[in-house]
Each structure stands twice: as C-alpha cells, then as structure tokens.
Amino acid sequence: MIIVTGGAGFIGSCLIKELNDNDIYDIIVVDELGHGNKWKYLANKRISQIIHINHFRDIIKNNYLKINKLQAIIHLGACSSTTETNVDYLMDNNFLYTKEIIDFAIYNNIRLIYASSAATYGDGSSGYSDKSINNLIPLNPYGFSKHLTDMYLMNNNLQDKITAIKFFNVYGPNENHKENMQSMVLKSYKQIKETGKVRLFKSNDKKYKDGNQMRDFIYVKDCCKVIMKMLNDNTFTGIYNLGTGKARTWNDLVNAVFNAMKITPSIEYIDMPANLINQYQNWTEADTDKLLTKIKNDFSFTELEDGVNDYVCNYLEKERCF
C-alpha cells in the first residue's frame, strides 16, 4: 500500500498514473476534492480509496492507521501558491502538516518522500545547490514554509531516513485546477487561443532582456519517473533538487508553445506587478549533481520543446488528462 497526499492534484495524479504503469494499484489518495474537477484526474486511475485531508491528519496524529501493509507515503499535498499571503495558513498546511507526517513516518518506520520547492533558494544569491541549505533566505512565505520543513529534517538528523524533493518549474497535464499557479505553458496556450499572442513580464533587472529571465523547466512525466526511482531505492534519501539542470528563457518556452500550435509567435511584454518585483526569481537552475549520481546514466530529461509539444498536442488540444 502507498499513500499519495495531494493525489488528485497536478503532480500527485500524474504520479498515480506512473504507479499504475508499474503495476501498483493499492493506493490511498489523500486530498480535498470539494466542488471542483480534480476528481477527473483520478477517473482513469486505479486506486483503493480517497481520504479527506482533515481525516488523514486526525488519523496520523493519533496513530490510528493500520500500517502492516503500508510501504510508503509520498507527500505532495500542500498549498502550492507562491503568492499566498496568509502565513498562518502556510505554516499549518505546509509546515505543520508535513511535520506531522514526518513524525508519523519515523515512529512507524515508513518510507517517506515529500515535496519541497526551489522557492526555498530565494533570489539564488546562495546558489541552487542541494548539498547545503543552511544559508538560504526565501523571498516569500511559501518558500519560507517549505524551508522550515527542510530545516526540521536536517536539524533532527533525518536526512538518512526521509527524501525531500526541491521541485523546480514543473509543467504538464492535469494542472487545469491550479488557477493562477498554472504553468506558463498552459497560460500561454489559453492566451494564444483567446488573443493570438502571449503576455510576458518585462525584466526588472538590467542583466536580463525582456522575456530572457530564466527558469529550470521540467516536464511532470520526468518528475514522476524520478520519484519512482526514489521509491524503489531505500538509499535514495536526503534532499534532492528535481530540475533538468538546464535553465531556459520564458521566450524559449512561449515560442515552443506557439510552435506546437503551429502559430507564428507574437509576444507582448508588460510591466511586472509591484508586489512581485522584490520576490521575483530572474534565474533558477537546479544543481543536479546529487540527483544524477543516484539515477546514473539510465535516465535523460525531456527537452523543453519536446515536453511542450507533447503536452500541447496530446493533452491540451485533445482536452484529456494524463
């Protein structure tokens, strides 16, 4: 049995597809479905049951879960909004919730993989190395909530028992519900459909031309395959960056969307909102040395153009889930 928190969300639902493809079907999904359409991401998956997040928190706090068949918990359920301003909410939903799962997993000797974020690296002035996290200063409350969890892991010397994943800029199918936190691939696709053009923020740094700010974009299918490798290797513990290690520009990404749609590119550059200027990352690129040491030479990341083309042509244009 495997528990996937956030299992009806973006990465979680795609991971369940990967688990099913590896003949794993005894899966408990922990999520909050509400009145939205996230349930559709699970309609084509094989799972055992769905537990509401509040019920799950009660279960693990009181250690009520029958664990004789539980192999692992993959904790992907959290607030993913980098612009969330309710810090108390982030502390509870991102830090305390994850801490509860960590404590439960350690007490019961259960394998745990949880989602951290590249937002913990702040402006990147301390680099993007996952070898040390002591000097990181996040730029927003979201990054701070994730950093606190990573520090809890390190301060309690749990890095040899638990795996933390610092996700970089993930894009791909099953993200329609994410509203403002949808990837720029999906946002671009929608803008092109509606207006024939894409709007990008002007640069707030003279070192970068408009649209040439850079991100480490990684296809969600690659993320899921790496998580499977982590799940199958009990020595795959500690904190790992999960990006391609190759930064690309926003212009590159948007042009890839236009090309996938077979439309001539048209980009308009607009002023960056004032509330983002002081917390905007102009460049992120995962240091993947630790990760590549573990996955060795039997894995290669999808090129941006190939990933965008697959996402646009096989999912967005066909209006289907992964």
Side-chain angles (χ1 to χ4, degrees):
M1 178 191 298
I2 292 176
I3 292 175
V4 181
T5 73
F10 171 34
I11 299 175
S13 61
C14 291
L15 176 62
I16 291 173
K17 173 67 163 60
E18 182 71 22
L19 292 170
N20 285 173
D21 287 348
N22 283 270
D23 298 322
I24 299 173
Y25 310 110
D26 192 2
I27 302 167
I28 295 177
V29 171
V30 176
D31 215 312
E32 185 174 10
L33 299 181
H35 299 282
N37 291 321
K38 288 198 297 182
W39 65 270
K40 290 184 177 181
Y41 302 151
L42 299 175
N44 63 338
K45 312 294 192 302
R46 288 179 62 181
I47 60 175
S48 299
Q49 61 177 305
I50 300 173
I51 300 176
H52 191 277
I53 177 176
N54 293 340
H55 182 43
F56 180 66
R57 291 184 75 172
D58 287 339
I59 288 172
I60 61 174
K61 282 179 185 177
N62 295 287
N63 206 37
Y64 287 154
L65 191 66
K66 293 181 180 180
I67 60 172
N68 55 322
K69 292 184 178 180
L70 182 55
Q71 296 172 262
I73 300 173
I74 303 173
H75 178 44
L76 303 173
C79 172
S80 61
S81 175
T82 59
T83 58
E84 176 60 56
T85 57
N86 187 335
V87 184
D88 288 330
Y89 169 68
L90 287 168
M91 289 303 101
D92 180 61
N93 199 63
N94 286 9
F95 173 57
L96 290 178
Y97 178 27
T98 307
K99 179 181 176 297
E100 290 162 7
I101 294 177
I102 290 173
D103 294 344
F104 174 82
I106 292 298
Y107 181 80
N108 291 288
N109 194 30
I110 297 169
R111 182 91 162 87
L112 172 62
I113 301 170
Y114 76 84
S116 182
S117 170
T120 57
Y121 289 113
D123 63 4
S125 58
S126 296
Y128 292 97
S129 173
D130 49 12
K131 299 179 183 68
S132 175
I133 63 171
N134 291 326
N135 298 318
L136 302 184
I137 304 176
L139 292 175
N140 53 46
Y142 166 79
F144 177 59
S145 70
K146 292 292 189 177
H147 182 58
L148 279 179
T149 308
D150 295 342
M151 291 304 297
Y152 180 78
L153 189 75
M154 301 301 291
N155 291 338
N156 289 278
N157 296 314
L158 300 175
Q159 61 270 29
D160 293 331
K161 298 179 179 180
I162 291 172
T163 307
I165 305 172
K166 289 187 181 291
F167 287 100
F168 278 67
N169 282 70
V170 187
Y171 68 94
N174 299 13
E175 60 164 329
N176 300 65
H177 67 287
K178 291 174 66 66
E179 298 179 347
N180 191 49
M181 295 311 300
Q182 293 170 349
S183 75
M184 196 59 204
V185 178
L186 179 52
K187 289 181 179 179
S188 296
Y189 178 83
K190 290 180 176 179
Q191 290 181 32
I192 294 167
K193 284 287 189 181
E194 293 172 4
T195 68
K197 63 182 179 182
V198 173
R199 305 174 83 189
L200 291 176
F201 292 143
K202 293 179 181 177
S203 176
N204 65 345
D205 188 328
K206 292 181 180 179
K207 291 188 296 185
Y208 300 91
K209 294 181 179 179
D210 292 342
N212 276 2
Q213 306 97 317
M214 305 182 80
R215 290 285 191 280
D216 191 332
F217 303 107
I218 180 168
Y219 198 24
V220 69
K221 292 184 180 181
D222 289 348
C223 292
C224 295
K225 292 184 183 304
V226 171
I227 294 173
M228 277 300 306
K229 289 181 176 294
M230 292 175 169
L231 187 63
N232 291 326
D233 182 353
N234 289 333
T235 70
F236 214 137
T237 58
I239 297 175
Y240 290 89
N241 287 333
L242 186 44
T244 65
K246 182 180 179 182
R248 300 289 300 274
T249 69
W250 291 112
N251 286 331
D252 289 338
L253 181 140
V254 169
N255 282 323
V257 178
F258 276 111
N259 289 336
M261 297 174 71
K262 296 179 171 55
I263 295 175
T264 302
S266 176
I267 303 174
E268 176 186 354
Y269 301 101
I270 61 174
D271 290 334
M272 185 179 296
N275 66 308
L276 291 183
I277 290 175
N278 293 325
Q279 55 177 287
Y280 190 80
Q281 293 174 305
N282 282 298
W283 172 76
T284 68
E285 184 175 85
D287 179 340
T288 57
D289 287 349
K290 274 178 63 179
L291 180 67
L292 294 178
T293 298
K294 294 296 291 185
I295 61 178
K296 299 183 173 60
N297 298 320
D298 60 347
F299 182 84
S300 59
F301 291 104
T302 304
E303 288 293 332
L304 178 64
E305 287 77 9
D306 294 333
V308 169
N309 188 74
D310 181 54
Y311 181 21
V312 170
C313 296
N314 293 317
Y315 299 96
L316 295 181
E317 295 279 47
K318 296 180 180 179
E319 298 184 351
R320 70 184 185 95
C321 303
F322 177 55

